[in-house]
């Protein structure tokens, strides 16, 4: 069942306009310090966790703002200081912070207290589908749907928020152009540092990365025998609409046949903002769920996956760092391109043979798992995609982002990589009320 849509979210924003105005007045009165607050729409993980760790190593003490009991428990297990983001304490912490870090939107922290802060938007994926100002879905509302003046108002409100972002990391020049357009920013804000969230796929020893990933995976879904192939199905978010590729009973029968024949397990991760039903008619250990309730951040688990099946998810760019074969299952590319839109052509990512349904996808999956040549062909395509979209594959993205923030806020740069800040042509711009 879908749990969020732009229409519902935008309707809520309109109702909260008085609270935004009141919060704005409050931030004009409350002086900001030099502390950091961090929040993440995906829980305790993603690029926010990578940057938190780097900031701690640099001698900073970031405060994490949580939105649920689960986040507070996960943070406590890692020794992270937290307070709830909602309520007076969350507002005060956000209003007093000099640096505010988010991964999804300003609601990752206290949304009413971000004005005047030095805002860092880490984002959570290389855009494949259009986002932000580039997507018509961004300005849709449950109030008066299709009413153009209201859509223009929502667009103005969105742009007024995003122009306050001071640092937005990009994976590459190609990704940078998409982010600049989507957020209405320029080269001074969007920096080709690489994304902190994917350092976990590049840093350290590959064998150690896989061992850690296997432990995380098996803790979430139960033990999987050594030698058994693991396939991850990760469809994208559809703005509240159900996934049209949910298998029928007949397709489930075919999927299970392929999993048995190839000695494989299928892990299903529907998008956390658009959960769907993915249960075979007959329960099987060959199909397991690995949703966000079990694993908020899937990225550290990816080294324990052998093949990805997806439609339009930016995860296809991430697994390219691992040269992981990808099966593209796209039941509605034309309709999706019309309603949401892509950056470039979908074929530039998926190639000429995306599966139209699970019957086709199962056949492609079987060939990929049983034929070495097909496995290597898809792995090579994945590597090529990574080379186009990731300028940095050295595990140093977080260090570059931290260096840029410290240089631009005038903070001590003891944790900065030598020469990193000057590579971005960064000039110190201390956080103040004038940076709103």
């Amino acid at each position: 069942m879908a749990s969020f849509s732009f229409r519902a979210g935008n309707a809520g924003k309109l109702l909260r306009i008085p609270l935004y105005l009141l919060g704005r007045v409050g931030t004009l009165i409350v002086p900001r310090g030099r502390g950091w607050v961090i929040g993440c729409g995906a829980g305790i993980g993603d690029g926010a966790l990578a940057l938190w760790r780097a900031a701690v190593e640099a001698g900073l003490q970031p405060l994490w703002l949580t939105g649920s009991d689960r986040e507070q428990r996960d943070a406590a297990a890692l020794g992270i200081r937290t307070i709830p983001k909602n309520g007076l304490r969350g507002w005060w912490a956000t209003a007093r912070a000099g640096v505010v870090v988010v991964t999804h939107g300003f609601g990752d922290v206290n949304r009413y207290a971000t004005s005047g802060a030095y805002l860092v938007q880490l984002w959570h994926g290389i855009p494949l589908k259009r986002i932000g100002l580039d997507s018509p879905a961004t300005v849709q509302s449950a109030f008066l749907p299709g009413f153009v003046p209201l859509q223009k108002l929502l667009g103005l409100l969105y742009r007024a928020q995003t122009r306050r972002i001071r640092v937005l990391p990009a994976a590459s020049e190609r990704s940078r152009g998409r982010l600049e357009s989507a957020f209405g920013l320029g080269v001074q804000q969007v920096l080709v540092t690489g994304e902190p969230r994917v350092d976990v796929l590049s840093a350290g020893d590959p064998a150690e990365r896989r061992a850690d990933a296997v432990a995380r995976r098996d803790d979430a879904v139960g033990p999987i025998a050594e030698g058994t192939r693991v396939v991850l199905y990760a469809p994208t978010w559809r703005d509240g609409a159900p996934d049209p590729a949910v298998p029928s009973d007949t397709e489930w029968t075919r999927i299970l046949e392929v999993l048995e024949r190839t000695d494989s397990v299928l892990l299903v991760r529907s998008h956390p903002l658009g959960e769907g039903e993915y249960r075979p008619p007959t329960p099987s250990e060959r199909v397991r769920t690995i949703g966000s309730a079990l694993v908020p951040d899937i990225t550290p688990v990816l080294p324990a996956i052998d093949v990805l099946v997806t439609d339009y998810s930016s995860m296809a760019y991430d697994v390219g760092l691992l040269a992981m074969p990808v099966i593209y299952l796209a039941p509605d590319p034309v309709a999706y391109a019309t309603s949401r839109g892509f950056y470039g052509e979908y074929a530039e990512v998926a190639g000429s043979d995306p599966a139209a349904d699970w019957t086709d996808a199962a056949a492609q999956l079987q060939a990929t798992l049983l034929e070495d040549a097909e496995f290597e062909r898809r792995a090579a395509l994945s590597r090529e995609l990574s080379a186009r979209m990731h300028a940095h594959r050295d595990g140093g993205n977080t260090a570059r982002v931290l260096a840029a923030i410290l240089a631009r806020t005038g903070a001590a740069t003891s944790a900065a990589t030598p020469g990193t800040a000057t590579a971005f042509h960064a000039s110190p711009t201390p956080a103040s009320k004038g940076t709103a």
Side-chain angles (χ1 to χ4, degrees), residues 13-344:
K13 288 178 182 178
L14 292 172
L15 291 173
R16 293 193 298 265
I17 285 178
L19 293 177
Y20 283 108
L21 294 175
L22 184 61
R24 174 60 173 150
V25 171
T27 56
L28 290 171
I29 299 171
V30 176
R32 290 196 178 273
R34 302 190 67 83
W36 288 36
V37 294
I38 293 178
C40 176
I44 309 301
D46 213 282
L49 181 57
L51 188 58
W52 177 87
R53 285 172 169 154
V56 169
E57 290 178 3
L60 303 172
Q61 295 183 328
L63 178 65
W64 199 296
L65 301 189
T66 59
S68 67
D69 291 341
R70 165 68 184 273
E71 287 183 36
Q72 292 182 39
R73 291 193 301 271
D74 290 347
L78 295 173
I80 299 175
R81 294 189 310 127
T82 67
I83 61 171
K85 65 183 179 182
N86 298 317
L88 183 58
R89 291 181 67 203
W91 184 90
W92 180 259
T94 306
R96 289 283 292 133
V99 175
V100 172
V101 180
V102 299
T103 61
H104 289 63
F106 296 165
D108 293 354
V109 291
N110 189 288
R111 67 178 75 244
Y112 308 114
T114 58
S115 295
Y118 191 90
L119 288 163
V120 178
Q121 167 59 281
L122 298 178
W123 202 233
H124 51 278
I126 299 174
L128 167 56
K129 54 185 177 290
R130 291 186 174 272
I131 61 172
L133 296 168
D134 295 333
S135 171
T138 302
V139 295
Q140 299 300 318
S141 172
F143 294 152
L144 302 175
F147 186 53
V148 174
L150 182 57
Q151 292 175 359
K152 289 184 177 180
L153 173 61
L154 287 167
L156 289 173
L157 293 174
Y158 186 88
R159 188 180 293 274
Q161 283 191 314
T162 59
R163 69 161 57 104
R164 295 190 281 117
I165 295 170
R166 293 293 173 261
V167 170
L168 200 169
S172 61
E173 289 292 343
R174 184 174 296 198
S175 179
R176 171 193 240 171
R178 297 174 183 182
L179 292 169
E180 287 176 354
S181 177
F183 287 90
L185 300 173
V187 295
Q188 290 299 311
Q189 293 82 37
V190 185
L191 311 179
V192 183
T193 57
E195 299 174 316
R197 65 187 188 84
V198 296
D199 274 344
V200 69
L201 302 180
S202 302
D205 178 70
E208 292 179 0
R209 287 201 303 269
R210 177 167 174 80
D212 177 72
V214 168
R216 291 171 182 266
R217 180 198 71 194
D218 288 2
D219 184 59
V221 304
I224 297 176
E226 184 70 25
T228 296
R229 299 290 190 98
V230 181
V231 180
L232 176 66
Y233 176 51
T236 195
W237 177 46
R238 291 176 171 272
D239 190 28
D243 179 9
V246 172
S248 65
D249 288 357
T250 300
E251 288 174 322
W252 271 122
T253 298
R254 176 58 178 150
I255 292 168
L256 291 171
E257 288 174 353
V258 170
L259 295 176
E260 288 288 345
R261 185 172 296 125
T262 60
D263 186 20
S264 301
V265 169
L266 176 67
L267 304 183
V268 178
R269 185 179 180 82
S270 53
H271 195 283
L273 294 182
E275 302 287 351
E277 295 294 331
Y278 299 93
R279 296 185 181 89
T282 302
S284 170
E285 283 295 302
R286 294 286 183 184
V287 179
R288 309 183 193 184
T289 299
I290 190 168
S292 59
L294 291 172
V295 180
D297 183 5
I298 194 65
T299 307
V301 180
L302 293 179
I305 305 299
D306 296 295
V307 178
L308 172 68
V309 180
T310 189
D311 47 10
Y312 318 119
S313 172
S314 63
M315 197 181 295
Y317 294 129
D318 299 343
V319 301
L321 291 166
L322 303 170
M324 184 188 300
V326 181
I327 307 294
Y328 291 95
L329 170 55
D332 59 344
V334 175
Y336 196 83
T338 301
S339 63
R340 184 65 184 262
F342 298 109
Y343 290 103

